[in-house]
């Protein structure tokens, strides 16, 4: 299989976040996520049973890990490895341009 990470992104405020499964194998799942201003709901924290390595390809975002006092500002090329059960949330994504993430979910 092959494709282009930027194909079919579209755009537009107010639309739902777009999640595309790119590949899945035992113990690993790779997704493309396109955000256009979406963020985690107030008070909501992800607490996943698996690790997640994520890189920002375009746009901008602020990612908050529960054990950190401030959110991390992410720009294209920035990546974060989030261990299983590390509580985290997306505080903000750029509403004026698509923010494209590549997420690799993995189990130890």
């Amino acid at each position: 299989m092959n494709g282009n990470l930027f194909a079919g992104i579209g755009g537009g405020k107010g639309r739902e976040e777009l999640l595309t499964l790119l590949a899945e194998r035992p113990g690993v799942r790779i997704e493309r996520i396109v955000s256009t201003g979406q963020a985690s709901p107030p008070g909501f924290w992800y607490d996943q049973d698996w690790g997640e390595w994520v890189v920002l390809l375009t746009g901008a975002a602020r990612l908050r890990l529960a054990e950190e006092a401030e959110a991390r500002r992410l720009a294209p090329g920035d990546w974060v490895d989030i261990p299983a059960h590390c509580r985290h949330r997306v505080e903000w994504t750029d509403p004026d341009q698509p923010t494209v993430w590549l997420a690799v979910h993995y189990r130890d």
Side-chain angles (χ1 to χ4, degrees), residues 32-80:
R32 180 191 71 177
I33 304 164
V34 180
S35 306
T36 49
Q38 291 86 3
S40 300
F44 174 82
W45 293 87
Y46 289 97
D47 184 354
Q48 303 168 155
D49 292 334
W50 55 87
E52 180 177 1
W53 182 91
V54 63
V55 61
L56 198 75
L57 301 176
T58 67
R62 284 193 300 269
L63 178 70
R64 173 93 185 274
L65 304 182
E67 70 268 5
E68 295 179 350
E70 298 290 324
R72 299 174 183 210
R73 180 149 178 94
L74 301 179
D78 291 337
W79 60 270
V80 180

Side-chain angles (χ1 to χ4, degrees), residues 68-91:
E68 295 179 350
E70 298 290 324
R72 299 174 183 210
R73 180 149 178 94
L74 301 179
D78 291 337
W79 60 270
V80 180
D81 189 15
I82 305 167
H85 297 292
C86 175
R87 293 179 49 213
H88 62 285
R89 57 182 279 109
V90 176
E91 300 254 315

